[in-house]
Amino acid sequence: MSADDRAARLALAHLVEPGSRELGLLTRRVGAPEALLMAVHGGVSESLAGAVRARLDAAGLGPHTGSADTWAERIATTLADAMTERAGELGARIVTAADDEWPLALDDLTRISQEGADVLRRDTDPPLCLWLRGPVRLEETMERSVSVVGARAVTSYGQFVASEFAFGLAERGWTVVSGGALGVDVTAHRGALAAGGVTCAVLACGIDQVYPVSNSAVFERIAEEGLLLTEWPPGTRPHKTRFLTRNRVIAAATRGTVMVEAGSRSGARNTLGYARRLQRSPMVVPGPVTSAMSVGCHVELRTPGTVLVTRVEEIVEEIGRVGELAEPIHGDARPEDALDATQSRVLDAVAPRAVRSAEEIAAIAGVAGRDARRSLPVLEQHGFVVRTTGGYRLASRSRP
Amino acid sequence: MSADDRAARLALAHLVEPGSRELGLLTRRVGAPEALLMAVHGGVSESLAGAVRARLDAAGLGPHTGSADTWAERIATTLADAMTERAGELGARIVTAADDEWPLALDDLTRISQEGADVLRRDTDPPLCLWLRGPVRLEETMERSVSVVGARAVTSYGQFVASEFAFGLAERGWTVVSGGALGVDVTAHRGALAAGGVTCAVLACGIDQVYPVSNSAVFERIAEEGLLLTEWPPGTRPHKTRFLTRNRVIAAATRGTVMVEAGSRSGARNTLGYARRLQRSPMVVPGPVTSAMSVGCHVELRTPGTVLVTRVEEIVEEIGRVGELAEPIHGDARPEDALDATQSRVLDAVAPRAVRSAEEIAAIAGVAGRDARRSLPVLEQHGFVVRTTGGYRLASRSRP
């Protein structure tokens, strides 16, 4: 891609809200410089043209004079230069699809965007560019990444789970990705940081915005050890609709999404929905059915294809390499487990104190006398029963 | 079926532990009287013949003299008469597959029994007969029944859920079925009784046995208002292997099984496994991933085909008539829900105090000026924004 192309992308990212399907289709068809030309000069929908005009006016790049080409070039140069300069001031870098650092997984958003915006009632095209702050390379860190999302109004249960899971995932070399909100988001970031892992906060505002303010210290640590990431240019304020648009990036960039706690209307469900549509693993942590903060989790778990996870190992089994299997959960093994069906029945028929003959035991157990006579010495050998004058009784330690 | 047939079944139920696949196959092939003859006189496996002989000896019906036919008849008459008399003393009745009261659903056990005992490592043939105590008819009450099962070591969470679910199911006319254990079992029975509903305890011992003793008052209430039920003759003590054998009846007799709480080794998982194999609905209540008493629940929920349930309505939707659908869970509807995507974006761009022009709002929202000018009066009409000199600001009540 040419310098023109990059400049045009940066300009378009400034002029059009992220996710625009119309702009995405156009850019893929004619390239970014031509798409910019059409956006400022004609050949796009009235809505898109009007939106671009409103932003141009606000940027002091009002009605143009001279040729359309020159005008579009001037817009590209002016906006791209301003953004590049601002990125430098902020210690940030700007990455586009032309850069090595671009995570190809984001391009999967093209697919669901092409299925039509109506389904999710929202534009879902891939970002045009990303602002990044942090010492790690985006595409590398996203290779083995998982998003941990959930409600702002987290309970102590959700906090525990988000923290444990993020810590465990980071310990195992997984990048934890989340938003920048209070609740599950910030708890997950803290958990990953505590493990000395890489964590990535995907913001719904400019990289210069600190929202919420109470997370500012965590954001600084993330910028030092992980990645702050956004598709909005510096200066952009977070808005409700932007959080929802942002969620598609969290889902697309990662191998799977783990929803820890969510009320029935939680935005985390929107992220999980993207993960499902993108064929990333939609994973959900169950909770008490009495908790309002697990209602959204359980609704999702009742949707086929959702994976219930209770341990870090199960998350890794779901999204890791072939063979990264979770150990099955075994209860404590008990000595009785080794007995066969007849031996178990015979053991059941031996009394704790009363001494019973093999024949009595057989009748109680409902087995043949011969089977009882065969089983009892085995049970004696394993310490379950004691042989005594006239028959058998339970060994004192055999039934706790 | 003849009187002989009934007597032979009762005798076989005394002589052979429930679930025997060999005896079941034989009885279905040659009828109960002939099966009894073969069991006492030859033509069955050595294990089965030996087991029958052990019980005959214990009953004082030792080595016979005279013809085989006469001998088998004497056994049938003696044991059947004794059992019928004992049932009368206990206020119980005995029901066999020949009686109207027999729930046909139990015969489905034949199918999984024929698949082989090895799969479940346990004999799973239908009961030969059932002892009942209680005022309601078994087959009628099982028409609309659901089992509620779980751990003895129930937590307060499990107690709450078992009680609420059983109460709600009973209120809606569902029979609650469970075992007679402490924990989830007894809590479910109490919940159903509290709703004035029918509850059925399926025991793993004789109907004259009270186990555990602390549940005796509940058992009496169940016998007065619901049903006590067992396939073991009076005098039989509960054993560990009998609980597991009994579980198949709980699963088979009901339309579905709801597991409330279960540790990784809980016997309730065995009941759920039968429900799954019998194509009854296997339903499981999730819980905190931090609770050992939900570990078994979550392992089951990670098995495909298991239905996660959080409310009585969801249980009824799963096993009720077509159209008994659970109301979807809606969060509180919010006025913003009615807005379209553009209106939402425009609303996001209106400031709480600062007055912004339609053009400024359009530039912030990333929409065309025309779209902002169209949306703002709609937002004003719905009370979201206030029009004032120079533009718009948020109405004070619109963002709580």
Side-chain angles (χ1 to χ4, degrees), chain B residues 187-202:
Chain B
T187 308
H189 293 306
R190 285 206 187 101
L193 288 168
V198 173
T199 195
C200 172
V202 183

Side-chain angles (χ1 to χ4, degrees), chain B residues 82-102:
Chain B
M83 285 203 282
T84 307
E85 192 186 331
R86 186 80 184 108
E89 287 167 11
L90 294 165
R93 61 192 185 277
I94 307 172
V95 167
T96 75
D99 297 309
D100 291 343
E101 206 176 338
W102 187 260

Side-chain angles (χ1 to χ4, degrees), chain B residues 132-293:
Chain B
L132 303 179
R133 270 186 72 201
V136 296
R137 280 181 66 97
L138 177 60
E139 93 287 15
E140 278 173 13
T141 196
M142 288 297 169
E143 278 277 299
R144 212 171 141 84
S145 67
V146 56
S147 60
V148 177
V149 300
R152 282 188 298 272
V154 68
T155 69
S156 58
Y157 169 66
Q159 263 177 328
F160 177 82
V161 171
S163 179
E164 283 286 300
F165 280 19
F167 187 97
L169 287 163
E171 259 193 331
R172 287 164 179 80
W174 287 83
T175 299
V176 171
V177 176
S178 194
L182 299 175
V184 169
D185 290 12
V186 70
T187 308
H189 293 306
R190 285 206 187 101
L193 288 168
V198 173
T199 195
C200 172
V202 183
L203 308 178
C205 56
I207 204 139
D208 59 335
Q209 307 287 307
V210 179
Y211 180 86
V213 174
S214 54
N215 284 350
S216 57
V218 175
F219 291 152
E220 279 314 304
R221 282 205 60 202
I222 294 173
E224 282 161 23
E225 301 181 20
L227 276 179
L228 288 181
L229 182 160
T230 183
E231 52 187 314
W232 280 271
T236 314
R237 300 282 305 155
H239 286 158
K240 188 183 150 198
T241 48
R242 287 182 179 142
F243 290 117
L244 297 170
T245 300
R246 179 272 320 263
N247 290 345
R248 79 197 193 294
V249 173
I250 294 179
T254 53
R255 295 237 212 127
T257 293
V258 178
M259 189 165 86
V260 172
E261 274 196 323
S264 63
R265 294 183 58 107
S266 173
R269 294 184 60 189
N270 170 257
T271 313
L272 197 79
Y274 282 124
R276 189 178 283 123
R277 284 175 59 80
L278 288 160
Q279 294 170 352
R280 310 294 191 257
S281 291
M283 294 171 276
V284 176
V285 180
V289 299
T290 47
S291 166
M293 279 299 115

Side-chain angles (χ1 to χ4, degrees), chain A residues 55 241 302 308 348 363 370, chain B residues 46 55 241 302 308 348 363:
Chain A
R55 289 259 169 102
T241 48
R302 284 170 54 79
L308 183 146
D348 275 345
R370 192 192 61 174
Chain B
E46 214 173 317
R55 288 258 169 103
T241 48
R302 284 170 54 79
L308 183 147
D348 274 345

Side-chain angles (χ1 to χ4, degrees), chain A residues 17 46-47 50-51 54-55 58 121 123 157 160-161 165 239-242 264-265 285-290 295 298-299 301-302 307-310 314 317 326 329-334 336-337 339-341 344-345 348-349 359 362-371 399, chain B residues 17 46-47 50-51 54-55 58 121 123 157 160-161 165 239-242 264-265 285-290 295 298-299 301-302 307-310 314 317 326 329-334 336-337 339-341 344-345 348-349 359 362-371 399:
Chain A
E17 275 290 300
E46 214 172 319
S47 300
R55 289 259 169 102
R121 296 180 53 219
D123 277 350
Y157 169 66
F160 176 82
V161 173
F165 280 19
H239 287 158
K240 187 182 152 198
T241 48
R242 285 179 180 145
S264 62
R265 295 184 58 108
V285 180
V289 299
T290 46
V295 166
H298 296 146
V299 172
L301 282 168
R302 284 170 54 79
V307 179
L308 183 146
V309 291
T310 68
E314 291 166 359
E317 175 177 281
I329 295 173
H330 298 294
D332 296 334
R334 295 172 195 171
E336 299 96 295
D337 296 347
L339 303 180
D340 69 22
S344 295
R345 278 164 68 168
D348 275 345
E359 288 64 37
I364 292 166
V367 303
R370 192 192 61 174
D371 290 336
R399 286 289 161 101
Chain B
E17 275 291 301
E46 214 173 317
S47 300
R55 288 258 169 103
R121 296 180 51 220
D123 276 350
Y157 169 66
F160 177 82
V161 171
F165 280 19
H239 286 158
K240 188 183 150 198
T241 48
R242 287 182 179 142
S264 63
R265 294 183 58 107
V285 180
V289 299
T290 47
V295 165
H298 295 146
V299 172
L301 281 169
R302 284 170 54 79
V307 179
L308 183 147
V309 291
T310 67
E314 290 166 0
E317 175 176 281
I329 295 173
H330 297 295
D332 297 334
R334 294 173 197 172
E336 299 95 298
D337 295 347
L339 303 181
D340 68 23
S344 295
R345 279 164 69 168
D348 274 345
E359 287 64 36
I364 292 165
V367 302
R370 191 193 61 175
D371 290 335
R399 287 289 160 103

Side-chain angles (χ1 to χ4, degrees), chain B residues 101-144:
Chain B
E101 206 176 338
W102 187 260
L104 296 177
L106 289 180
D107 298 337
D108 288 356
L109 286 165
T110 309
R111 181 162 45 78
I112 67 167
S113 178
Q114 279 167 353
E115 291 165 13
D118 291 347
V119 184
L120 290 160
R121 296 180 51 220
R122 188 163 295 115
D123 276 350
T124 56
D125 229 68
L128 283 166
C129 57
L130 296 170
W131 275 256
L132 303 179
R133 270 186 72 201
V136 296
R137 280 181 66 97
L138 177 60
E139 93 287 15
E140 278 173 13
T141 196
M142 288 297 169
E143 278 277 299
R144 212 171 141 84

